[in-house]
Amino acid sequence: MIAFDHVVKRYPNGREALAGVSFRIAAGEMVFLTGRSGAGKSTVLKLIALIERPTRGTVLVAGKNLGALPSRRIPAYRRSIGVVFQDHRLLMDRPVFDNVALPLIVAGSPLKETDKRVRAALDQVGLLGKERMLPLELSAGEQQRVGIARAVVSKPTLLICDEPTGNLDRDLAVEVMRLLKRFQNVGVTVVVATHDIHLVQEHESGQRTIVLDDGRIQGGAGEEPLPSIVASR
Amino acid sequence: MSIAVYGTRHAQAFLGSLGRLARSPFATFLTVLVIGLALALPLALQLLVTNASRATGGFTSAVDVSVYFKQNVALAEVQQRAANARAQPGVAEVTVISADDALKEFQKYSGFGAALQALEQNPLPNALRVRPAADAMSPSDLARLERYLAAWPEVDTVQVDSQWVERLNAILDVLKRVLLVAAVLLGAGVLAVVGNTVRLEIQNRRAEIEVVKLVGGSNAFVRRPFLYTGVIYGVTGALVAWGVMAIALGVLEGSVANLAKLYGSQYALAGPAAEEVLWLFAGGAVLGWLGAWISATRHLRRIEPRA
């Protein structure tokens, strides 16, 4: 599903965020990316979401070489993945329904289909009935669940999450992690970047953890046999 | 994507743009007013040219060529020449003015009636008044007609007073060119106003644009509501320009009619024709769209999602 091969990422200011990183993530796997702040976790996610391109090396996602993907094909690629952020990135002046529907609107989904899928996504994250509320009327945990619903509404095969529990208390964080695990259980590949090592330890059963430090892999890169959890969706 | 879905998404983008403009009425009003005034100026010049052409149309169609025959040329010969002249292309009307009729007219209008009666014989020659056709009034057409008439051996003098027609046409030509220059400059002004307004809106909605791009929105998708915003600005600006012109015409109408009356004319100011109004709205829409497209294309390219 995802393969990083000797990936180097150097930013215009000269900082080298990744120094020859190689790892593999199989389809349907749930992987934690962990490490200290500045270790390179977010850069890995940026490369997967095609927010950045590698300076050197190869990033393959579902067989696509992202470094060589033409700019005009980036929107279509992004429509095939789901992204969850620590700060939710919700449109605060739009109701929950519109926020969750956004990827479907962008993809040109018919209105009836959009309505059906938004309600299904909200049901999955336990927010059905709150579709007319504005994000500001929701708790932090609920806002994060809206962000997750938006990420999964178009049924992506890959879900990447950048510090999805960073702003949440312990109970809400556990709730969000259970939710992500449920998506993995139906075959979605889930990559979670977090610096919360305790959270990782609580949920790493059956999951793999890739540890990054100063732009280098410190463990879990996939030398060990990959779990075969590729379920059909 | 089906046509119905495509149409629905466009309708949503249009209504969204309309809603956003309605939510900031004062700023929208100021922008529309500036665009309206910029569009009103070329329209006003166009109306000036149209009305000037109409007002002077009577004069230009009254350009006559006077043909004075030699004293010994009989009226019968003059009438024969009149028939020749009528057969010429570009001649609308030929009137024979006999020497006797000319003398009577001169006595009536010159104020020298008594003095003229003292003359032993009529000093005035027989003459023709040749009126060119409306489509044969150009200086070259008039010169050609003059050459034809002057070539007759019976003719003493041919008089064409076309200089003032040339001056009038030159003034109208200058006005048309001023109109063109003003239209181009003010059109560029409309592009700049719409472009700058769209730029500011893009800056204000930067976070939203980043999110839309992050979930797979293409530049074309993100640009769409801004294009509708530009078209709405252009069309409402044209509406304002039309309104401004209607008010200005209403204010001037009475005064112009009074002035014309003093000159014995029934002349009345003409408003924009349906075709001109159509051009105004089409021009407003195209300028609004183009200004928004240039600005949105330029600025949206620079906005990419951040993680």
Side-chain angles (χ1 to χ4, degrees), chain A residues 107-141:
Chain A
S109 169
L111 290 180
K112 268 190 179 173
E113 176 74 6
T114 301
D115 189 71
K116 199 176 101 188
R117 285 169 72 167
V118 168
R119 286 176 198 286
L122 286 172
D123 192 25
Q124 277 180 301
V125 299
L127 288 178
L128 195 59
K130 297 195 173 181
E131 54 266 38
R132 292 288 143 217
M133 293 175 82
L134 290 172
L136 283 174
E137 296 170 309
L138 303 175
S139 69

Side-chain angles (χ1 to χ4, degrees), chain A residues 105-109, chain B residues 1-7 9 224:
Chain A
I105 292 170
V106 161
S109 169
Chain B
M1 195 189 308
S2 74
I3 293 174
V5 173
Y6 186 75
R9 296 307 179 207
R224 191 180 297 158

Side-chain angles (χ1 to χ4, degrees), chain A residues 51 79 85 89 94 106 108-109, chain B residues 5 9 208 214 216 305-306:
Chain A
I51 293 168
R79 287 198 287 271
F85 291 102
R89 300 279 176 91
R94 310 279 176 85
V106 161
S109 169
Chain B
V5 173
R9 296 307 179 207
E208 179 187 340
L214 196 65
R306 293 168 290 119

Side-chain angles (χ1 to χ4, degrees), chain B residues 103-119:
Chain B
L103 184 64
K104 279 178 201 161
E105 196 175 336
F106 191 60
Q107 281 172 334
K108 188 176 174 185
Y109 294 110
S110 68
F112 299 114
L116 290 169
Q117 277 175 358
L119 295 173

